[in-house]
């Protein structure tokens, strides 16, 4: 999995396979939580957007102002071309550990699988700290960092629960992993059967779920 932390891996992957691909969850799987924490008029940053359909699906659901960034120039160019008919969707090549945005730009930052990818790379602990620090900086005072991860709370909260550094409170939700068979719906108590949604909310907006 170490390759997931390398830009060269993603450039090669997107060159070979430009078709849309969603890690972990489609929008339908996290829609209820997105609706709970994200308002339609919010200014949103999709961090590590890749060629996921999440932005498109959210756009169709009324979330129109979404800036999408990815470390891979290849996929950003593909997405600019794919969504050229949707001018409110912006696409920029950028590293999540060094965001080229002013302070307090976004209401919401969404990272689906991105935190996990950063953790796969060299210097992962330092890079996750940079990622979180940059997200905290570009979020508005009541902003929300919405993370979709396979990582269990015992691990991921070590990186996220640093209120003195990031000025947010963290709550954890679970969503069932997508299943091929409807008969194989996993229990929400089965750690292997769920993905974790970490809500890092500034201004005390987090709710236990």
């Amino acid at each position: 999995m170490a390759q997931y932390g390398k830009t060269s891996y993603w450039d090669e992957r997107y060159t070979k396979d430009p078709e849309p691909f969603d890690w972990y969850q489609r929008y339908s799987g996290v829609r209820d939580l997105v609706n709970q924490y994200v308002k339609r008029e919010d200014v949103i940053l999709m961090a590590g957007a890749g060629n996921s359909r999440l932005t498109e699906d959210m756009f169709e659901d009324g979330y129109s102002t979404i800036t999408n960034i990815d470390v891979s120039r290849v996929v950003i160019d593909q997405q600019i071309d794919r969504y050229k008919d949707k001018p409110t969707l912006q696409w920029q090549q950028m590293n999540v550990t060094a965001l080229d945005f002013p302070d307090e730009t976004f209401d919401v930052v969404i990272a689906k699988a991105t935190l996990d990818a950063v953790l796969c790379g060299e210097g992962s602990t330092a890079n996750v700290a940079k990622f979180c620090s940059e997200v905290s900086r570009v979020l508005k005072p009541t902003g929300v960092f919405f993370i979709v991860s396979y990582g269990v709370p015992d691990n991921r909260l070590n990186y996220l629960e640093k209120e003195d550094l990031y000025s947010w409170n963290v709550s954890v939700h679970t969503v069932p992993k997508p299943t091929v068979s409807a008969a194989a719906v996993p229990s929400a108590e089965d750690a292997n059967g769920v993905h974790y949604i970490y809500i890092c909310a500034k201004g005390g907006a987090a709710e236990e779920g």
Side-chain angles (χ1 to χ4, degrees), residues 3-207:
Q3 72 268 25
Y4 293 157
K6 296 180 179 178
T7 306
S8 57
Y9 165 81
W10 294 109
D11 281 343
E12 182 178 352
R13 178 188 175 110
Y14 292 129
T15 299
K16 287 181 177 177
D17 187 7
E19 290 305 306
F21 179 81
D22 271 283
W23 292 86
Y24 304 169
Q25 295 279 337
R26 289 291 303 271
Y27 179 53
S28 58
V30 296
R31 182 179 186 272
D32 288 349
L33 285 170
V34 170
N35 289 174
Q36 180 178 341
Y37 289 103
V38 188
K39 296 187 288 292
R40 295 299 192 283
E41 64 272 19
D42 280 347
V43 179
I44 301 164
L45 175 65
M46 194 72 68
N51 57 12
S52 164
R53 297 181 186 86
L54 182 59
T55 290
E56 177 182 351
D57 290 344
M58 287 184 64
F59 180 87
E60 298 297 336
D61 197 26
Y63 298 94
S64 59
T65 308
I66 307 176
T67 297
N68 301 268
I69 63 170
D70 199 277
V71 74
S72 170
R73 164 57 61 189
V74 172
V75 79
I76 288 297
D77 287 344
Q78 291 171 350
Q79 296 295 82
I80 288 172
D81 184 63
R82 183 173 283 136
Y83 294 109
K84 56 181 177 286
D85 62 331
K86 295 179 173 61
T88 62
L89 301 181
Q90 300 293 311
W91 304 88
Q92 298 181 49
Q93 191 271 330
M94 198 177 298
N95 192 311
V96 296
T97 65
L99 298 177
D100 189 20
F101 299 110
D103 295 357
E104 300 183 8
T105 298
F106 298 99
D107 297 293
V108 178
V109 176
I110 297 176
K112 181 160 73 82
T114 311
L115 182 71
D116 299 342
V118 172
L119 282 168
C120 290
E122 294 181 11
S124 59
T125 299
N127 283 331
V128 166
K130 290 177 186 175
F131 183 16
C132 290
S133 179
E134 282 290 84
V135 169
S136 179
R137 180 183 65 79
V138 303
L139 275 175
K140 295 177 182 178
T142 56
V144 171
F145 187 18
F146 188 108
I147 300 166
V148 184
S149 172
Y150 71 78
V152 298
D154 283 351
N155 178 277
R156 295 299 185 262
L157 290 178
N158 293 331
Y159 299 102
L160 300 173
E161 283 190 325
K162 297 178 184 294
E163 189 175 353
D164 54 328
L165 293 177
Y166 308 136
S167 305
W168 57 43
N169 296 302
V170 186
S171 60
V172 185
H173 302 263
T174 57
V175 292
K177 289 181 180 177
T179 54
V180 176
S181 168
V185 176
S187 164
E189 305 304 317
D190 174 11
N192 294 320
V194 300
H195 288 125
Y196 297 91
I197 313 295
Y198 296 94
I199 303 295
C200 307
K202 292 192 161 194
E207 301 173 11

